[in-house]
Amino acid sequence: MAMAPILSLAAIFCAAAFVIHFDFHLPQATDALWLAALALWAAAVRSSAERSAVALLPPRGELVPLALVLPVFAACWLPFHDNWRWAFTGDSFGIFTVGYWFGLKGPPDSLLSVHGIDNFYTRLWETSYNWLMYVFEPTLFWHRVGQLLMSCLALSAIYSFFCLMLGKRWALLVILATMTNHVWLWLSYISYLRTDSFVFYYATLIVAYALWRNPQHMMLWLCAGMIGGLSLFFTPVVWGAVAAVAIVLGCRELRHLRLRGIAIYAVSFLLAATPILTELPWMVEMLQQQALARDAGHEVYWPGADYFYRTFRTIVISAYDTPIHVLGMDGGMLRPPLSQLCLAGMLLAAVAMVGPLRRRLRLPGAAPVLLGLLLWDALLFTATNKGYGAPSHKRFYNLIPLQLFFALLPLHWIGQAQGEHGHSVRRLAFGFAAVAVAVAAALALWRIVHPHPGMYGNNLADGLIEVRQRFARQPVTLISTRPRLDDIVGTGGLIHQTYGIADRLTVVAQPSAGVLADGCEQQGLVCYDVRGAPEDVAAVMIAAGWQPVPLLNTAELRCYGCPA
């Protein structure tokens, strides 16, 4: 089939999708026309491209470790789908709520609509996590299975990239360290729609690696463009990698006066991104929300050079240490000894930026490239930190696999030893790396099992979920005068339906003697809402001899047990 007719049809379908994009009475037609345009464009490029094969994935035999690890990960991950440690209702429960209503009523409009949660998340973004709630039933379990599938896709993308870079054994260490990392694991559990960033990030790098080796392969340019265009529907933190790949590869092609690949990339990107680019005002508004904080007059302000330096430095050395000890974080992104090894690996990568030294020391060529990518991302995350006192680690935690690469780089470098004892040195280096990953994993999992207060959740609902799960058989009396409390503890509310927090729960306004006597008689707990209880309630409880019960998942709930 000639290329011109296919391109004409693709243009017609794309134009038709654009015209009816705002007509929500025809959502399926919009989706179908857009998909048809993408398919026709891909067919046109394929019909005119050379039929040389390029492997974007490692050989089948090298995928065996991944196929063995992912089922084990899923089997360990899924039984804790509703554990209180993953309850983060302030930011994440709304995303489950969207999936719940999506499961009950089906998609309300085109999946290509940008008007998702809070007019910020696109429909395609939120649906990619919640589609199982529509296929099966709208429960937290199926929502968590959707989270799990996205986590497995992320691990697959990470493994595939590092397998191409380092080989299957070292790539296996990278994903084992990733899936047991305390920050990555916590954020993969909660409903926060961020794990997709790893999928697009490493898919972009895989295609870029293949293009660097095969710049004449037009289907690779098409894949790169479509991945970049689709990424606009998803987590913005991946856009930096997409931009870096486009800039580096584009400049390389311009240098050699090869324009065809750039043209195919540009058309593929624009075609894939057409539905979101039709609403540029929304996109500009979203980017403004990602930018620095604004004052009362909605003017963007610049905190100053010292702020940018501190933020940038914190992100760059975040594997080793940060001032962040909340929302799954506890200082550094990595646990020892990987945290220390990461700094050594970054220093090696900096040395590798000098070509003669890299060749003399036989350092991998990927090291300076990935260090440059990490610094590029850190710069962008610094510029979009919204003026927070500390960097928002929910934005830059996708650096963890890169940090793990640098943590393993010194031992991988030692493992490249040649000569009479080279084989023994390689085995010893890999053994040390495996031990380092195991130690870091043990420390990370220990922190998840024994978190410090406030490391995970924060609000009243998070605390009530923890109380219901940790003290399942005890009645609970909640002292609170907070308005609209039924949204949290009402038996008809979705939080109760999901976690059962209203079971054996009584809400009162004052800590009276009768309330305390009843609570003691039933061997229950008496808790008070920090934001909605009398100021002297803590003094009353202590004066009555009640003993504080430490809670770990909230800053808004305090609980006491009956005097001994």
Side-chain angles (χ1 to χ4, degrees):
M1 188 174 183
M3 186 174 183
I6 300 178
L7 290 179
S8 299
L9 282 174
I12 292 171
F13 284 177
C14 189
F18 179 87
V19 169
I20 70 171
H21 183 63
F22 297 102
D23 186 352
F24 294 122
H25 297 292
L26 299 170
Q28 288 76 24
T30 303
D31 298 354
L33 286 170
W34 178 68
L35 289 173
L38 291 179
L40 285 169
W41 169 245
V45 174
R46 180 174 175 79
S47 69
S48 64
E50 297 179 5
R51 297 304 178 92
S52 59
V54 174
L56 287 178
L57 295 177
R60 186 177 302 177
E62 295 190 359
L63 293 175
V64 171
L66 180 68
L68 295 176
V69 165
L70 288 184
V72 175
F73 171 70
C76 295
W77 193 97
L78 199 55
F80 304 100
H81 74 275
D82 64 345
N83 187 272
W84 60 266
R85 290 172 176 82
W86 324 124
F88 186 54
T89 57
D91 280 355
S92 66
F93 197 76
I95 296 170
F96 165 68
T97 302
V98 168
Y100 175 82
W101 291 113
F102 172 70
L104 286 182
K105 299 181 178 180
D109 50 41
S110 169
L111 292 179
L112 306 180
S113 170
V114 301
H115 302 291
I117 304 168
D118 296 330
N119 203 33
F120 178 79
Y121 296 86
T122 65
R123 293 292 187 197
L124 191 60
W125 192 356
E126 64 191 32
T127 303
S128 64
Y129 287 82
N130 288 316
W131 63 274
L132 287 173
M133 298 176 72
Y134 178 71
V135 174
F136 296 100
E137 57 181 333
T139 62
L140 183 63
F141 174 80
W142 287 111
H143 173 71
R144 291 293 199 233
V145 173
Q147 294 280 132
L148 173 61
L149 291 178
M150 191 64 76
S151 295
C152 289
L153 281 175
L155 291 170
S156 300
I158 295 166
Y159 174 84
S160 297
F161 174 72
F162 285 109
C163 193
L164 294 172
M165 294 292 105
L166 305 174
K168 64 181 180 181
R169 294 194 308 161
W170 291 90
L172 180 61
L173 288 184
V174 171
I175 65 162
L176 287 174
T178 301
M179 67 175 58
T180 54
N181 178 272
H182 61 294
V183 182
W184 189 91
L185 189 58
W186 185 75
L187 285 166
S188 76
Y189 260 106
I190 67 167
S191 307
Y192 205 65
L193 304 195
R194 288 292 186 273
T195 315
D196 57 88
S197 64
F198 296 91
V199 178
F200 282 94
Y201 197 97
Y202 288 95
T204 296
L205 295 184
I206 288 169
V207 177
Y209 173 76
L211 270 172
W212 191 263
R213 297 165 62 96
N214 303 275
Q216 304 291 344
H217 202 289
M218 295 302 107
M219 289 302 292
L220 290 177
W221 286 105
L222 179 138
C223 289
M226 286 194 173
I227 291 171
L230 286 174
S231 73
L232 296 187
F233 289 90
F234 290 85
T235 305
V237 298
V238 79
W239 298 354
V242 171
V245 166
I247 292 170
V248 171
L249 293 179
C251 290
R252 186 193 190 203
E253 293 302 288
L254 287 173
R255 179 185 175 189
H256 294 91
L257 299 179
R258 295 192 296 250
L259 303 181
R260 189 182 178 201
I262 297 176
I264 289 176
Y265 177 93
V267 173
S268 302
F269 182 94
L270 292 173
L271 190 60
T274 291
I276 199 169
L277 294 178
T278 57
E279 300 198 29
L280 278 175
W282 171 89
M283 197 171 187
V284 171
E285 180 183 351
M286 185 178 70
L287 289 173
Q288 289 177 343
Q289 292 178 11
Q290 294 292 315
L292 293 173
R294 293 179 290 277
D295 62 18
H298 303 289
E299 298 289 335
V300 176
Y301 73 86
W302 297 88
D306 180 64
Y307 171 82
F308 285 107
Y309 170 74
R310 286 187 290 104
T311 303
F312 180 77
R313 180 180 180 276
T314 297
I315 295 174
V316 170
I317 67 168
S318 60
Y320 178 72
D321 188 35
T322 75
I324 307 169
H325 293 270
V326 295
L327 306 184
M329 277 287 282
D330 184 28
M333 288 276 201
L334 306 185
R335 299 287 86 180
L338 295 182
S339 52
Q340 290 82 0
L341 284 171
C342 178
L343 297 182
M346 292 173 67
L347 180 60
L348 269 181
V351 170
M353 287 184 169
V354 182
L357 284 177
R358 181 178 69 250
R359 290 186 290 271
R360 183 177 181 82
L361 296 175
R362 295 183 179 178
L363 289 165
V369 175
L370 295 182
L371 178 61
L373 185 61
L374 185 146
L375 296 175
W376 165 258
D377 279 332
L379 182 63
L380 294 179
F381 296 149
T382 298
T384 58
N385 196 49
K386 300 174 74 171
Y388 294 143
S392 174
H393 68 287
K394 291 177 291 184
R395 295 166 179 259
F396 69 84
Y397 90 106
N398 69 319
L399 297 179
I400 287 175
L402 290 182
Q403 293 169 334
L404 290 170
F405 165 78
F406 293 118
L408 296 175
L409 179 60
L411 294 170
H412 179 270
W413 172 55
I414 293 172
Q416 303 307 303
Q418 304 296 321
E420 180 181 354
H421 302 290
H423 182 68
S424 298
V425 172
R426 288 194 293 273
R427 293 180 61 181
L428 191 61
F430 184 80
F432 275 122
V435 171
V437 169
V439 171
L443 292 174
L445 294 176
W446 186 91
R447 175 51 73 195
I448 285 178
V449 174
H450 304 285
H452 61 70
M455 181 175 170
Y456 299 138
N458 177 72
N459 60 30
L460 177 64
D462 298 337
L464 289 172
I465 293 168
E466 178 187 355
V467 168
R468 179 49 53 225
Q469 292 193 7
R470 287 180 55 196
F471 309 99
R473 300 191 180 191
Q474 295 177 253
V476 177
T477 300
L478 174 64
I479 302 168
S480 179
T481 57
R482 182 185 299 215
R484 299 186 62 185
L485 193 60
D486 281 348
D487 293 345
I488 299 175
V489 302
T491 55
L494 188 55
I495 295 181
H496 167 69
Q497 293 177 29
T498 305
Y499 289 103
I501 61 175
D503 295 339
R504 296 178 296 284
L505 177 68
T506 302
V507 180
V508 299
Q510 294 288 339
S512 64
V515 167
L516 297 182
D518 290 343
C520 203
E521 181 179 346
Q522 299 174 42
Q523 292 298 305
L525 298 179
V526 174
C527 305
Y528 71 91
D529 175 9
V530 172
R531 291 177 51 195
E535 293 183 0
D536 63 344
V537 64
V540 171
M541 299 298 298
I542 293 173
W546 285 67
Q547 302 299 312
V549 176
L551 297 180
L552 300 172
N553 210 42
T554 182
E556 295 186 355
L557 188 67
R558 301 286 187 273
C559 289
Y560 295 82
C562 183

